[in-house]
Amino acid sequence: MALPENWSEYLLEHPLPVRRAIHEGISRELRNESPDFPRLVGWLRRDPAASSMVLGAAARGQRERQRSAPHNLEHALTLLGSNWARKHLPEMPTVEETLSTHAQRAGYLAASSRAMRAARLTETWLIERRETGFEMVSTAALLHNLVELALWRDEPSLARQALSESRRQLIEFTRTHRDDGATLDQCFSLGHAFQTVLADSGIDLTELETTLTERYYLPVMLLAEEASIPVLGSHHQVILVLARRLAFATEFGWHHPIIRRLTALIAEQLHLSPSAAWQLTVAKSIRDAREFDDIPMYHPAHMLVQHDDDRDLLWPLPDDYGLDPAQNDCHASARTATASSGRRLGDMIRALAGIEGMKEIALYSNVSQSEAQRRFHWQSPAETASLPEFIDLQASPLLPRLQSRLEPLSIDHNNVGRLTPYLDASLADAGHTNLIIAPLAVDGQLVTTLCCRGDSNLPHGSVLETIETVQADTTSG
C-alpha cells in the first residue's frame, strides 16, 4: 500500500473512521426528535476523528461568514444545527468497515486511545489548576495526532515504522539515562519520528499540518512538539505536551524512570507533590479505563492493580501493532536482575497470552471475605468474555481453599461436573471449556488469583509451568 497521490487533499476529502460503538451512540441520539447536544458532545469527545469532522465543518461555515471559528464542540454543533448533524454524522465511516487487518485496526485504535488519554489528562490537570479555558486545550490534545491516525488508515507500514523508531529511542534513552539528569526532550521523539518517516516519502509534516489547520481551523496541531500556537498560553502547551508524553510512555508501563520523571514535571505544573500528582493521574486513568470498556478501547490503566502496601502495580501488556518484538518490549526499559514481583507478573501474563489456545486471562483480588474483584482482564481478539468481574467466594468454597494453600487447579470437561457444586455459576460456566485457577503469592502471602481460560487444545502443562517458573523467581528474588 502507498500513500494516495496528493495526500493532503485526499485527507481533506476523506474523513477518518470512528469506532463503531461511537457511531452507534451518536446515531441513537440523533434518532430522538430533539437531540441532546451535550450528550452528542459527550460521544464526540471520545473520538478525535468525529471531533475533527464537526469542528472542521463549523469552521468552514464561519469562515465563509468571516466570523471566528469555534474552539469547542458544543459551540460547533450549535452553529451547525441538528439538521446538519442528522444528515452528516451518520455518514461517518467506521473503523471496523474501513480498516482491513487486525494489526492495522489495533494501531489506529491505540493511537485514537492515546489522543483521548492525553485529552482527559490535560483536562484533569487544568481543572486542578482552577483553569477556566481547559476545554479548548483538551480539544487540542484530542486532535494532536490526526496525521498519525491518517497514516494508520492509509499506509500503516509508515505508522508502524515511526512508532517502532520512537519506542526504540525511548528504550535506549532509559537504559542510558535512567539515573542521570538528561532532559526528556532528548528521548520523546514520536512527533519527530513521524516527521522523518513522512519526509522520506516526500511529505513535509509542517506543510501538511498547515494545510489541515487552514481547512479545519483547529485549536492546535502539535504533532511536532516544537510548534508554537499563540492562542495557547505557555503553561497550556507544557501541560499538553506532558499529557501526550505520559499517554505514550504508559504503553510501556506505569513504574519505570520515565514515568517518575514525567510525574515530577507534572507536579511542578500543578503545584502539587509528586505523590499527589501521581494519585490524581492514576485515579483519572482508572476512571477512564472503566469508561473505555463501553466503547471498547485499549487503555493502559486496565492493567493497573492497586495495592495499599506500596507493592508495584502491574505493568500493561504491549499493544499489538505488528511491531518487531525487540521494539515492542514494554519491560526492556527497566529490566534488571532484580526485577520486582509486579514486573515478573507482567512478564508472565505476556507469556501466557502468547500460548496457543489461550482465550482469556483475568486477575482477581479479594476485596472482602465474601467477594473477589477482577483487577485485570485480557481476551484474544474476537473472543467473548466469560470470566466474571466479581466472584462470590461463599458460593465458591473451592477458591478460598486454593488460595489458603496456594495451590493451582486445572478444570476441564473431565472434572468440571464434580467441581461445579464448589464453584459459583460464572466460574463453573468458564470451566466447561478449559479453566486454570492459580493463586499467586510473594513471600508466601497471597497477592492475586490468576484465572486462565482456553480452548480444547490449551496445553495445561505449559501454562502451569510458566506460572510455577515466575512464582519460583519471585520467591527467590
Side-chain angles (χ1 to χ4, degrees), residues 447-461:
V447 174
T448 186
T449 301
L450 170 72
C451 290
C452 300
R453 184 178 68 86
D455 60 23
S456 58
N457 297 317
L458 182 69
H460 286 223

PDB file of all heavy atoms in Angstrom, residues 447-461:
ATOM      1  N   VAL A 447      -1.130 -12.645  46.700  1.00  0.00           N
ATOM      2  CA  VAL A 447      -1.150 -11.347  46.039  1.00  0.00           C
ATOM      3  C   VAL A 447      -2.393 -11.212  45.165  1.00  0.00           C
ATOM      4  O   VAL A 447      -3.121 -10.230  45.229  1.00  0.00           O
ATOM      5  CB  VAL A 447       0.119 -11.141  45.186  1.00  0.00           C
ATOM      6  CG1 VAL A 447       0.027  -9.850  44.380  1.00  0.00           C
ATOM      7  CG2 VAL A 447       1.355 -11.136  46.066  1.00  0.00           C
ATOM      8  N   THR A 448      -2.638 -12.219  44.347  1.00  0.00           N
ATOM      9  CA  THR A 448      -3.754 -12.186  43.418  1.00  0.00           C
ATOM     10  C   THR A 448      -4.060 -13.611  42.984  1.00  0.00           C
ATOM     11  O   THR A 448      -3.248 -14.521  43.209  1.00  0.00           O
ATOM     12  CB  THR A 448      -3.424 -11.298  42.198  1.00  0.00           C
ATOM     13  OG1 THR A 448      -4.588 -11.160  41.375  1.00  0.00           O
ATOM     14  CG2 THR A 448      -2.312 -11.903  41.358  1.00  0.00           C
ATOM     15  N   THR A 449      -5.207 -13.814  42.399  1.00  0.00           N
ATOM     16  CA  THR A 449      -5.589 -15.129  41.883  1.00  0.00           C
ATOM     17  C   THR A 449      -5.739 -15.032  40.377  1.00  0.00           C
ATOM     18  O   THR A 449      -6.488 -14.183  39.871  1.00  0.00           O
ATOM     19  CB  THR A 449      -6.907 -15.603  42.518  1.00  0.00           C
ATOM     20  OG1 THR A 449      -6.748 -15.667  43.928  1.00  0.00           O
ATOM     21  CG2 THR A 449      -7.278 -16.984  41.987  1.00  0.00           C
ATOM     22  N   LEU A 450      -5.005 -15.879  39.687  1.00  0.00           N
ATOM     23  CA  LEU A 450      -4.982 -15.889  38.231  1.00  0.00           C
ATOM     24  C   LEU A 450      -5.974 -16.913  37.707  1.00  0.00           C
ATOM     25  O   LEU A 450      -6.014 -18.059  38.177  1.00  0.00           O
ATOM     26  CB  LEU A 450      -3.574 -16.227  37.735  1.00  0.00           C
ATOM     27  CG  LEU A 450      -3.398 -16.514  36.245  1.00  0.00           C
ATOM     28  CD1 LEU A 450      -3.537 -15.224  35.437  1.00  0.00           C
ATOM     29  CD2 LEU A 450      -2.049 -17.155  35.984  1.00  0.00           C
ATOM     30  N   CYS A 451      -6.788 -16.514  36.733  1.00  0.00           N
ATOM     31  CA  CYS A 451      -7.685 -17.437  36.036  1.00  0.00           C
ATOM     32  C   CYS A 451      -7.385 -17.361  34.540  1.00  0.00           C
ATOM     33  O   CYS A 451      -7.366 -16.265  33.966  1.00  0.00           O
ATOM     34  CB  CYS A 451      -9.148 -17.079  36.280  1.00  0.00           C
ATOM     35  SG  CYS A 451      -9.723 -17.405  37.958  1.00  0.00           S
ATOM     36  N   CYS A 452      -7.113 -18.515  33.933  1.00  0.00           N
ATOM     37  CA  CYS A 452      -6.844 -18.597  32.500  1.00  0.00           C
ATOM     38  C   CYS A 452      -7.885 -19.500  31.857  1.00  0.00           C
ATOM     39  O   CYS A 452      -8.120 -20.617  32.340  1.00  0.00           O
ATOM     40  CB  CYS A 452      -5.459 -19.172  32.226  1.00  0.00           C
ATOM     41  SG  CYS A 452      -4.095 -18.236  32.925  1.00  0.00           S
ATOM     42  N   ARG A 453      -8.493 -19.050  30.782  1.00  0.00           N
ATOM     43  CA  ARG A 453      -9.463 -19.861  30.053  1.00  0.00           C
ATOM     44  C   ARG A 453      -8.975 -20.067  28.638  1.00  0.00           C
ATOM     45  O   ARG A 453      -8.520 -19.120  27.976  1.00  0.00           O
ATOM     46  CB  ARG A 453     -10.832 -19.172  30.032  1.00  0.00           C
ATOM     47  CG  ARG A 453     -11.929 -20.001  29.371  1.00  0.00           C
ATOM     48  CD  ARG A 453     -13.266 -19.279  29.429  1.00  0.00           C
ATOM     49  NE  ARG A 453     -13.265 -18.083  28.592  1.00  0.00           N
ATOM     50  CZ  ARG A 453     -13.557 -18.077  27.284  1.00  0.00           C
ATOM     51  NH1 ARG A 453     -13.853 -19.212  26.669  1.00  0.00           N
ATOM     52  NH2 ARG A 453     -13.538 -16.947  26.598  1.00  0.00           N
ATOM     53  N   GLY A 454      -9.042 -21.315  28.156  1.00  0.00           N
ATOM     54  CA  GLY A 454      -8.567 -21.611  26.813  1.00  0.00           C
ATOM     55  C   GLY A 454      -9.481 -22.563  26.078  1.00  0.00           C
ATOM     56  O   GLY A 454     -10.481 -23.045  26.616  1.00  0.00           O
ATOM     57  N   ASP A 455      -9.117 -22.856  24.833  1.00  0.00           N
ATOM     58  CA  ASP A 455      -9.917 -23.796  24.058  1.00  0.00           C
ATOM     59  C   ASP A 455      -9.503 -25.223  24.395  1.00  0.00           C
ATOM     60  O   ASP A 455      -8.683 -25.462  25.293  1.00  0.00           O
ATOM     61  CB  ASP A 455      -9.803 -23.514  22.560  1.00  0.00           C
ATOM     62  CG  ASP A 455      -8.376 -23.621  22.032  1.00  0.00           C
ATOM     63  OD1 ASP A 455      -7.546 -24.317  22.674  1.00  0.00           O
ATOM     64  OD2 ASP A 455      -8.083 -23.023  20.993  1.00  0.00           O
ATOM     65  N   SER A 456     -10.040 -26.181  23.652  1.00  0.00           N
ATOM     66  CA  SER A 456      -9.793 -27.597  23.970  1.00  0.00           C
ATOM     67  C   SER A 456      -8.348 -27.999  23.768  1.00  0.00           C
ATOM     68  O   SER A 456      -7.912 -29.029  24.287  1.00  0.00           O
ATOM     69  CB  SER A 456     -10.699 -28.484  23.109  1.00  0.00           C
ATOM     70  OG  SER A 456     -10.472 -28.232  21.716  1.00  0.00           O
ATOM     71  N   ASN A 457      -7.586 -27.203  23.037  1.00  0.00           N
ATOM     72  CA  ASN A 457      -6.176 -27.526  22.776  1.00  0.00           C
ATOM     73  C   ASN A 457      -5.222 -26.813  23.725  1.00  0.00           C
ATOM     74  O   ASN A 457      -4.004 -26.903  23.549  1.00  0.00           O
ATOM     75  CB  ASN A 457      -5.808 -27.158  21.330  1.00  0.00           C
ATOM     76  CG  ASN A 457      -6.605 -27.958  20.313  1.00  0.00           C
ATOM     77  OD1 ASN A 457      -6.790 -29.157  20.475  1.00  0.00           O
ATOM     78  ND2 ASN A 457      -7.095 -27.284  19.271  1.00  0.00           N
ATOM     79  N   LEU A 458      -5.740 -26.100  24.701  1.00  0.00           N
ATOM     80  CA  LEU A 458      -4.857 -25.360  25.603  1.00  0.00           C
ATOM     81  C   LEU A 458      -3.935 -26.319  26.345  1.00  0.00           C
ATOM     82  O   LEU A 458      -4.400 -27.254  27.018  1.00  0.00           O
ATOM     83  CB  LEU A 458      -5.688 -24.573  26.616  1.00  0.00           C
ATOM     84  CG  LEU A 458      -4.892 -23.702  27.601  1.00  0.00           C
ATOM     85  CD1 LEU A 458      -4.239 -22.542  26.877  1.00  0.00           C
ATOM     86  CD2 LEU A 458      -5.796 -23.183  28.719  1.00  0.00           C
ATOM     87  N   PRO A 459      -2.610 -26.133  26.243  1.00  0.00           N
ATOM     88  CA  PRO A 459      -1.673 -27.020  26.938  1.00  0.00           C
ATOM     89  C   PRO A 459      -1.558 -26.670  28.420  1.00  0.00           C
ATOM     90  O   PRO A 459      -0.804 -25.787  28.808  1.00  0.00           O
ATOM     91  CB  PRO A 459      -0.354 -26.776  26.193  1.00  0.00           C
ATOM     92  CG  PRO A 459      -0.459 -25.374  25.674  1.00  0.00           C
ATOM     93  CD  PRO A 459      -1.918 -25.138  25.396  1.00  0.00           C
ATOM     94  N   HIS A 460      -2.310 -27.366  29.257  1.00  0.00           N
ATOM     95  CA  HIS A 460      -2.328 -27.066  30.689  1.00  0.00           C
ATOM     96  C   HIS A 460      -0.921 -27.134  31.287  1.00  0.00           C
ATOM     97  O   HIS A 460      -0.567 -26.320  32.140  1.00  0.00           O
ATOM     98  CB  HIS A 460      -3.261 -28.034  31.425  1.00  0.00           C
ATOM     99  CG  HIS A 460      -4.704 -27.740  31.189  1.00  0.00           C
ATOM    100  ND1 HIS A 460      -5.644 -27.761  32.200  1.00  0.00           N
ATOM    101  CD2 HIS A 460      -5.382 -27.397  30.074  1.00  0.00           C
ATOM    102  CE1 HIS A 460      -6.830 -27.466  31.710  1.00  0.00           C
ATOM    103  NE2 HIS A 460      -6.704 -27.257  30.417  1.00  0.00           N
ATOM    104  N   GLY A 461      -0.142 -28.105  30.824  1.00  0.00           N
ATOM    105  CA  GLY A 461       1.204 -28.266  31.375  1.00  0.00           C
ATOM    106  C   GLY A 461       2.067 -27.046  31.132  1.00  0.00           C
ATOM    107  O   GLY A 461       2.779 -26.579  32.033  1.00  0.00           O
TER     108      GLY A 461
END
